Amino acid sequence: MLRIGTRRAARRQETDRPHPPDPPDPLDSLDPLDPAQEDRVRAVLALGGVPHADLPDGVQQVRLKLLERAADGREAPRDVSAWAAVVASNLAMDWHRARRRQERLGERLAVLWRETTDEDGAESRALSMAVAQGLGELPDAQRQVVVLRFYADLPVRAIAAELGIPEGTVKSRLHTAVRLLRARLHEGEVV
């Protein structure tokens, strides 16, 4: 009986004693950006026109580039804050280029759609809308090769060179995308 009481008392004393702080997480020490640098990166991205919702992704990309630099064995930049600001500025420019590319693609598709609807009428308009909707549902990689092949009229070899992937990968993505689009058009009774 005495033993049980002693154990309970010992347990009570353990819980009453303050515990030492948890050891620091080793992953926290790997973060190459301190809070002030992270705020500066956010500011550069925001001033560069990157939408507020995309700012955390931009900060992560800067952080990743700094970690990649360290992993490649290159020495750390002399001024990490300045280096991070330059990288953030470049990311903002890349974001604008990608957005403009998407806008131009949308404009070209709209022109093609208008030309098709003027010539063929309602039936063709329904097909165009179904194809556009089907394209929107494809994964990015498949949509990209379909648009480059059928809308930009690039040959498979040029698409492979442009994207830096093997020709077989382009053909595979095209095959899968066309099969999915065809199934979608049959399901919607458009074809």
Side-chain angles (χ1 to χ4, degrees):
M1 188 86 142
L2 181 59
R3 289 172 103 174
I4 295 174
T6 324
R7 286 185 193 156
R8 284 185 189 152
R11 258 191 254 132
R12 247 187 261 122
Q13 284 178 347
E14 276 183 28
T15 58
D16 292 344
R17 268 189 259 152
H19 293 286
D22 291 333
D25 186 358
L27 294 178
D28 288 343
S29 64
L30 294 177
D31 192 355
L33 294 177
D34 65 30
Q37 293 166 335
E38 185 174 326
D39 289 343
R40 185 173 185 187
V41 166
R42 276 183 194 280
V44 169
L45 290 169
L47 290 171
V50 175
H52 183 72
D54 292 338
L55 292 180
D57 290 337
V59 172
Q60 286 299 85
Q61 287 180 358
V62 171
R63 186 174 280 125
L64 180 63
K65 287 189 184 295
L66 192 54
L67 289 171
E68 285 173 348
R69 182 182 176 105
D72 290 344
R74 294 181 280 169
E75 66 182 65
R78 278 183 275 152
D79 184 358
V80 173
S81 186
W83 181 89
V86 169
V87 171
S89 176
N90 290 339
L91 286 173
M93 287 190 297
D94 291 346
W95 183 86
H96 283 290
R97 284 187 198 115
R99 195 181 89 222
R100 269 183 279 172
R101 214 174 10 254
Q102 282 295 108
E103 287 172 356
R104 284 194 306 266
L105 177 62
E107 289 169 4
R108 281 185 276 171
L109 288 173
V111 167
L112 286 172
W113 184 76
R114 267 188 253 116
E115 288 173 1
T116 305
T117 57
D118 291 344
E119 295 170 5
D120 302 327
E123 187 176 306
S124 180
R125 201 176 355 218
L127 178 61
S128 296
M129 290 300 291
V131 169
Q133 188 175 12
L135 276 174
E137 294 173 0
L138 288 175
D140 291 340
Q142 291 175 357
R143 182 179 331 112
Q144 186 179 34
V145 295
V146 167
V147 168
L148 290 174
R149 178 67 186 104
F150 298 112
Y151 289 97
D153 204 27
L154 293 177
V156 171
R157 178 172 287 161
I159 296 169
E162 192 67 34
L163 299 179
I165 58 176
E167 288 182 41
T169 303
V170 173
K171 291 175 184 178
S172 173
R173 288 179 185 174
L174 276 171
H175 175 77
T176 304
V178 168
R179 191 183 70 226
L180 290 171
L181 283 172
R182 185 177 294 131
R184 168 115 173 104
L185 294 175
H186 284 292
E187 283 174 12
E189 298 180 5
V190 176
V191 177

